[in-house]
Amino acid sequence: MSALWHAFTDQLHGFLFGIYPYICAGIFLVGSLIRFDRDQYTWRSGSSQMLRTRQFRLGSNLFHLGILFIFFGHLVGLLTPHALYEHFITAREKQMLAVIAGGVAGALCFIGLTMLLHRRLFDERIRRTSTTIDIAILALLWVQLTLGLTTLPFSIAHSDGGTMLQLSAWAQHIVTFRAGAADYVRGTDLVFQMHMVLGMTLFLLTPFSRLVHIFSAPVWYLGRNWQIVRRRGGATARPGPVAAPHAGPAE
């Protein structure tokens, strides 16, 4: 029985860290393109700011500031080869830098996300206008962020940088389509593995949720055409200079 269980967990490990990343990436890319092509009117952030501004501005700013720092920190930290920075900073120093910077950004993000999730769940107006996927995505992001913060003590315990190098090797093998990527995750703490699997799952869910707005930036508004506004019961208001009022005959 133990042999069967060992074989099952071995196959599951190989799937989660060797095959599942490509499934998530494929659905993320293809699904996002299909949604942009077929359902552009649903391509939005689904903001609830108009329903209630309390908690929103501070929570949204903290969340986005933290999540952007965390995302690009993970991107650079995992995909930068060790040979490029080993002459300037050791693996131990890099890991401690990641713990400190990631801890600060994670704390800010956690506070902001908790505020956003609280108003989404406990404000009656916002709750009625929220979809199931809206609430589910916020909840999953909250769990993912909690897992990320939970990894910090484990990173401090492995302060030699060995775990960081293992995870970096996994990520670099995945993006370069090299075999044996899952082997680099073996032996790492379960919390790291849970954090990785949930992170990949969030990418898989992106095309079906409001997360698609991560692709969008309002730069197109700078060059778009004028919008024609029709007044109710009146003439069309067109852009351009306003004509001066006609002066009557002098008396």
Side-chain angles (χ1 to χ4, degrees), residues 197-211:
V197 171
L198 185 53
M200 292 184 285
T201 302
L202 285 169
F203 278 98
L204 182 145
L205 294 175
T206 294
F208 314 102
S209 69
R210 58 195 294 188
L211 289 178

Side-chain angles (χ1 to χ4, degrees), residues 32-236:
S32 298
L33 289 173
I34 293 175
R35 181 171 176 182
F36 184 79
D37 182 61
R38 300 185 59 181
D39 296 300
Q40 289 190 25
Y41 287 108
T42 68
W43 193 282
R44 62 185 189 275
S45 64
S47 174
S48 58
Q49 183 177 5
M50 294 182 63
L51 298 177
R52 180 188 174 202
T53 58
R54 187 185 306 171
Q55 285 186 299
F56 178 84
R57 182 170 299 174
L58 178 60
S60 180
N61 287 338
L62 288 176
F63 168 70
H64 285 93
L65 178 65
I67 203 70
L68 286 173
F69 187 92
I70 291 171
F71 175 78
F72 287 107
H74 278 68
L75 190 68
V76 174
L78 289 174
L79 298 183
T80 303
H82 178 62
L84 292 181
Y85 63 81
E86 64 178 344
H87 300 293
F88 309 99
I89 185 173
T90 65
R92 176 189 177 92
E93 293 169 341
K94 180 174 179 287
Q95 179 161 310
M96 295 309 299
L97 177 62
V99 167
I100 296 172
V104 173
L108 294 178
C109 189
F110 181 82
I111 295 171
L113 183 56
T114 301
M115 294 173 67
L116 295 177
L117 184 59
H118 177 270
R119 66 192 296 277
R120 180 74 62 172
L121 291 175
F122 296 101
D123 187 289
E124 186 62 29
R125 294 179 65 198
I126 299 175
R127 180 67 181 269
R128 286 201 303 266
T129 59
S130 301
T131 63
T132 302
I133 191 66
D134 285 341
I135 298 174
I137 287 298
L138 282 178
L140 287 175
L141 284 171
W142 192 90
V143 173
Q144 173 69 345
L145 186 57
T146 302
L147 285 173
L149 292 172
T150 306
T151 64
L152 296 181
F154 291 89
S155 296
I156 295 174
H158 303 293
S159 59
D160 60 347
T163 300
M164 180 197 66
L165 292 177
Q166 283 183 261
L167 300 180
S168 295
W170 170 80
Q172 291 165 27
H173 273 67
I174 288 294
V175 298
T176 54
F177 302 97
R178 285 181 284 172
D183 294 335
Y184 288 95
V185 189
R186 295 188 187 278
T188 57
D189 294 296
L190 180 61
V191 66
F192 286 107
Q193 299 182 21
M194 294 172 62
H195 185 57
M196 294 163 67
V197 171
L198 185 53
M200 292 184 285
T201 302
L202 285 169
F203 278 98
L204 182 145
L205 294 175
T206 294
F208 314 102
S209 69
R210 58 195 294 188
L211 289 178
V212 292
H213 80 280
I214 63 176
F215 291 112
S216 304
V219 294
W220 306 112
Y221 286 101
L222 300 176
R224 73 174 185 176
N225 294 327
W226 286 95
Q227 182 179 7
I228 299 177
V229 179
R230 300 183 183 278
R231 296 177 180 173
R232 181 178 297 177
T236 300

